[in-house]
Amino acid sequence: MVNQRKGELAVVATMTDHTDSAAVTGPPAHGHDPIVVTLGETVGRYQVRRMLGEGGMGQVYLARDVVLGRSVALKIVGPTTGAGLHTERFLHEARAIARLNHPNVVQLYDFGEYRGGLYLALEYVEGGTLRERASHGPLALDEVLRHARAIADGLAHAHGHGVFHCDLKPSNVMVGKDGRVRVVDFGIARTGENAASTKSGTPDWMAPEQWLGAPASDRTDSWALGIVVAQLLTDGHPLGDTVEARRDAVQHGARPARWVPARGDVPAAVIDLVNRALAHTPSERPTAAEWARVLDVAILDGRADPALDDGPFRGLAAFDERHARFYFGRELEIDAFLERLRDTPYLPIVGPSGAGKSSFLHAGVIPRLRAREPWTVIAIRPGGDPIGALARGVLGALADHGDRKAQVQAFRDELIAAPTLLAARLSTIASVQRGKVLLAVDQLEEAFTHGASEAERAAFLHMLAVAADDPLDPVRVVVTVRDDFVGKLAGLRALFVVKKLGVDDVRRTITAPVAREGYQFDDPAIVDDLIAEVGVTGDRTGNLPLLQFACRTLWDGRDPARRRVLRATYREMGGLAGALARHADHALAELSDDERRIARQLLLQLVVGTTRRSVPRPALGHGHVLDRLLAARLVVQRQAGDGDAPIVEIAHESLLQTWTQLARWVDETRDERRLLDELLDATSLWERRGRR
């Protein structure tokens, strides 16, 4: 095993893991004379900082690239003696591996000769191996499928460049702290030019052709991937419990009956994939690309909700758990967030308005957590009474009965008197439910914009900060908050920034939901037009809701008979820029003059400054016109709590910037609304003080 500091692992190609079954490999360790490197010494352009580990083929150091200023894992192999390593062959393999550039393959930055030996500068990553992650028992199905999907993607890329790994195993797959899976250790990799010599590898994962010395191919890695997936799912080897049984199955084709996992949640397609991968004849095994396709379907099917039939796009509404199967584009960010959440008990999700923070939490993070472990999710929005919202959420999770309003008020008072009581109640829920608890606070900025007093707001933020402060406890607190409010959150030790989607990610958010429903664009250039309009190369992060709205409009105008999304619909709606504004203007045009005047009044009541205001429905009145605005998706209504009046708000803040009519109304009434805001704040304070 490579020696390493706790919690730290350098991704190192060419390192043999001796903790698996004894490795069968070409050059023996004693064929190398070690090169002694002192700390501070420069190898090539890499300054050695400290040793990370030592394996059968050399030493590994943490080093710094003095030209680019980045950390690397520096692998140094000593000069050869006798029948040891052939330098030219090693450099040939290094050149082949250096051509690989894929998120799921460790990157080789540089290589060269040094003092008669060789050095390789590789990507340095913190994290742990799949072997370490699975050491506590079988992983959750969703986690196994996603890890296997990433491995298959990385292998498919390597195979496409004529590189075969030939030593794939759990200890050669790493999950970084950024959540990304990387295939590592291409030390005995083969290319098409030397694939005939394959009698090397680690016995438990070696394919029949490796034992026989037959030529290697991409299907050699498919065999190993089948074993890895089976091990991750069952914590056992699919070819038997003993070394002898496995050897007979591999060398003589005496494999046991069809592999069927003891657990009942594994899709039939995945079971079939593993069994096909263990075929004695290489040509009968699936390719890495086929692995990826089958696993992709299995992952998506695991999120399917057959009762859901309202389309793959959410318009101006945020994605929720029910629509998780249509949520695409932020998969790598979700992986990174989940890794951070392992040891960060309180983690805010930060981004500008319209960046998709709510969707990221509800359709990305929460479904993935539930797929891995039993989680009790308490999801709230602060509104004007954030402590009351906490009280309702916690009591709902405890399933208390009786006079709910009285209980909420009593618990609210208790929380104000003893803020640490929230942590105790969340721990109680975790214990009762025998799982973990996630307190998910969406749109935390409402605590600042919806009339809560400064004292209540401070108490609320303090409760969140102390509710989860130990990584070993089964409680996590996640909040979403606009980036312009982060400065108001004192004492933050960590945060997660939702990044602006790149071109490829935006393309996936458009095309993947359509493909998921079995549709195609009649003109693929529609996607390019939408991407250009959303401004992915500029600073327009908040345009994602507009993109979703445009896609929803396109979807509503689809051709079900031909299963096509139409260019004609795109032309009619005026593209992304005109879709929402035209929709809003059209909705107003359908109202009478009196109804339009009332709509103006209603919409202005839902604006405070330059942001939305959430208002209880009874306070708005004018039910008929309000229902018309709701039907047009210009405003949305949500339930505040048991027995409380529903809350109404403008569908999205982007309407304040893109809808010319509303912007004009806001500007015309600026002074009046400022006075109204002051009166509303005073009224709220008067009511909280008992109307004295």
Side-chain angles (χ1 to χ4, degrees):
M1 175 64 122
V2 178
N3 296 320
Q4 63 186 54
R5 298 188 178 194
K6 184 177 180 181
E8 181 180 74
L9 178 69
V11 174
V12 181
T14 78
M15 181 164 287
T16 303
D17 185 352
H18 296 295
T19 60
D20 295 315
S21 302
V24 179
T25 183
H30 57 73
H32 305 277
D33 296 328
I35 297 176
V36 179
V37 179
T38 59
L39 302 188
E41 183 177 348
T42 300
V43 178
R45 69 187 199 201
Y46 307 98
Q47 186 177 47
V48 176
R49 298 168 64 183
R50 66 172 183 267
M51 178 177 279
L52 292 172
E54 186 170 7
M57 295 181 67
Q59 296 78 35
V60 186
Y61 299 88
L62 175 65
R64 185 170 186 80
D65 185 330
V66 297
V67 176
L68 299 179
R70 65 184 174 189
S71 294
V72 301
L74 190 67
K75 169 73 178 187
I76 298 179
V77 180
T80 63
T81 59
L85 180 70
H86 296 286
T87 301
E88 285 304 318
R89 201 214 100 200
F90 194 93
L91 289 176
H92 171 78
E93 297 302 326
R95 293 186 185 100
I97 297 168
R99 295 198 301 266
L100 305 182
N101 183 15
H102 189 275
N104 301 122
V105 175
V106 64
Q107 189 169 358
L108 175 61
Y109 295 140
D110 191 13
F111 55 88
E113 298 186 54
Y114 180 69
R115 288 167 52 182
L118 300 161
Y119 73 84
L120 296 93
L122 299 117
E123 178 182 6
Y124 172 73
V125 184
E126 290 185 285
T129 66
L130 273 187
R131 174 181 178 144
E132 295 165 344
R133 182 152 293 189
S135 62
H136 303 293
L139 303 179
L141 176 64
D142 181 77
E143 193 169 7
V144 173
L145 296 183
R146 291 179 185 279
H147 290 341
R149 172 73 161 81
I151 296 169
D153 275 344
L155 290 177
H157 174 78
H159 297 164
H161 286 77
V163 177
F164 316 131
H165 191 285
C166 296
D167 196 23
L168 183 68
K169 52 189 175 182
S171 56
N172 281 343
V173 178
M174 184 175 176
V175 183
K177 287 190 174 180
D178 59 0
R180 183 147 48 93
V181 172
R182 297 166 176 85
V183 179
V184 306
D185 200 346
F186 280 82
I188 61 170
R190 294 290 183 268
T191 64
E193 298 172 7
N194 74 341
S197 176
T198 64
K199 199 167 185 179
S200 58
T202 309
D204 275 356
W205 295 270
M206 283 172 57
E209 58 269 25
Q210 289 176 282
W211 285 100
L212 298 173
S217 70
D218 61 329
R219 313 304 170 90
T220 302
D221 290 337
S222 182
W223 169 281
L225 181 55
I227 294 178
V228 168
V229 171
Q231 288 178 310
L232 293 177
L233 287 171
T234 63
D235 199 25
H237 200 287
L239 299 182
D241 296 330
T242 66
V243 175
E244 292 76 14
R246 299 170 196 167
R247 185 179 295 116
D248 288 343
V250 174
Q251 292 181 295
H252 307 298
R255 57 171 293 187
R258 174 180 170 85
W259 175 79
V260 178
R263 57 196 290 177
D265 60 344
V266 184
V270 175
I271 296 175
D272 179 66
L273 201 61
V274 170
N275 280 284
R276 289 170 53 210
L278 298 180
H280 203 269
T281 304
S283 62
E284 296 177 3
R285 302 173 201 153
T287 63
E290 186 177 354
W291 268 99
R293 287 195 300 272
V294 174
L295 291 169
D296 206 27
V297 173
I299 291 169
L300 289 173
D301 284 347
R303 299 191 296 176
D305 182 355
L308 189 67
D309 190 27
D310 59 351
F313 297 105
R314 297 291 290 138
L316 292 175
F319 283 84
D320 54 30
E321 283 193 72
R322 297 177 307 137
H323 297 85
R325 64 179 172 137
F326 297 122
Y327 184 67
F328 295 95
R330 294 199 182 273
E331 290 84 354
L332 291 179
E333 285 182 88
I334 296 169
D335 289 339
F337 183 87
L338 294 179
E339 287 301 310
R340 290 277 302 277
L341 201 62
R342 287 178 182 271
D343 52 18
T344 307
Y346 178 38
L347 189 53
I349 299 170
V350 178
S353 176
K357 302 180 294 297
S358 296
S359 297
F360 181 82
L361 172 61
H362 291 289
V365 171
I366 292 176
R368 291 279 295 277
L369 286 175
R370 291 194 196 273
R372 294 185 176 188
E373 296 177 272
W375 281 84
T376 297
V377 178
I378 302 172
I380 69 166
R381 281 179 57 175
D385 182 15
I387 299 177
L390 273 179
R392 283 191 296 273
V394 172
L395 289 179
L398 287 170
D400 285 356
H401 300 288
D403 187 347
R404 177 57 62 84
K405 281 195 173 183
Q407 289 177 341
V408 168
Q409 185 59 48
F411 186 36
R412 182 183 185 281
D413 294 340
E414 291 175 1
L415 287 174
I416 292 174
T420 56
L421 181 60
L422 176 62
R425 287 296 180 92
L426 294 178
S427 295
T428 298
I429 294 171
S431 177
V432 170
Q433 301 292 342
R434 297 183 180 180
K436 296 185 177 181
V437 173
L438 176 71
L439 175 59
V441 183
D442 195 13
Q443 302 189 39
L444 183 66
E445 61 271 10
E446 289 184 352
F448 297 90
T449 62
H450 283 55
S453 69
E454 185 175 348
E456 290 173 330
R457 185 163 58 242
F460 172 68
L461 296 177
H462 177 63
M463 290 174 198
L464 297 181
V466 301
D469 58 2
D470 186 348
L472 298 180
D473 284 346
V475 175
R476 293 292 184 268
V477 175
V478 174
V479 305
T480 68
V481 61
R482 265 175 30 195
D483 52 5
D484 51 333
F485 283 87
V486 172
K488 300 179 182 294
L489 308 182
L492 281 184
R493 288 175 287 182
L495 54 82
F496 186 90
V497 178
V498 174
K499 298 177 182 177
K500 189 175 186 293
L501 288 179
V503 174
D504 291 340
D505 295 325
V506 173
R507 183 179 300 277
R508 184 162 166 78
T509 66
I510 300 169
T511 59
V514 171
R516 181 78 175 115
E517 291 289 87
Y519 277 71
Q520 295 179 339
F521 289 90
D522 69 344
D523 178 5
I526 297 174
V527 179
D528 297 320
D529 293 341
L530 286 170
I531 291 173
E533 286 196 81
V534 80
V536 294
T537 58
D539 188 22
R540 285 189 273 172
T541 308
N543 273 358
L544 288 179
L546 298 181
L547 177 62
Q548 279 289 313
F549 183 84
C551 290
R552 178 59 182 257
T553 305
L554 279 171
W555 180 256
D556 290 343
R558 69 192 182 280
D559 182 350
R562 295 191 299 128
R563 304 189 76 78
R564 292 290 186 271
V565 178
L566 307 175
R567 165 65 75 174
T569 305
Y570 182 79
R571 285 195 296 266
E572 289 172 9
M573 73 185 197
L576 173 67
L580 182 57
R582 283 178 171 80
H583 168 74
D585 287 336
H586 179 72
L588 281 186
E590 293 184 340
L591 302 177
S592 66
D593 290 342
D594 286 342
E595 288 173 333
R596 196 175 301 115
R597 177 182 54 80
I598 294 171
R600 176 181 184 272
Q601 176 185 335
L602 288 171
L603 290 167
L604 289 175
Q605 289 183 72
L606 298 174
V607 178
V608 53
T610 59
T611 62
R612 295 175 294 173
R613 182 202 301 275
S614 297
V615 179
R617 175 160 182 153
L620 292 170
H622 304 294
H624 171 66
V625 176
L626 184 56
D627 286 338
R628 297 283 295 274
L629 296 178
L630 287 166
R633 304 192 194 116
L634 299 181
V635 300
V636 294
Q637 179 175 295
R638 58 182 174 84
Q639 199 63 37
D642 294 336
D644 292 333
I647 297 297
V648 177
E649 60 190 6
I650 289 176
H652 197 274
E653 287 181 6
S654 59
L655 274 169
L656 298 175
Q657 287 80 44
T658 61
W659 188 13
T660 305
Q661 181 62 72
L662 181 57
R664 184 182 304 117
W665 287 341
V666 169
D667 186 63
E668 291 171 351
T669 59
R670 193 172 305 278
D671 292 338
E672 292 91 338
R673 288 187 304 102
R674 184 180 297 114
L675 176 60
L676 178 61
D677 291 342
E678 293 173 357
L679 290 172
L680 290 173
D681 289 342
T683 301
S684 177
L685 180 61
W686 173 64
E687 289 180 340
R688 286 197 302 272
R689 290 179 175 177
R691 300 192 176 190
R692 292 192 298 273

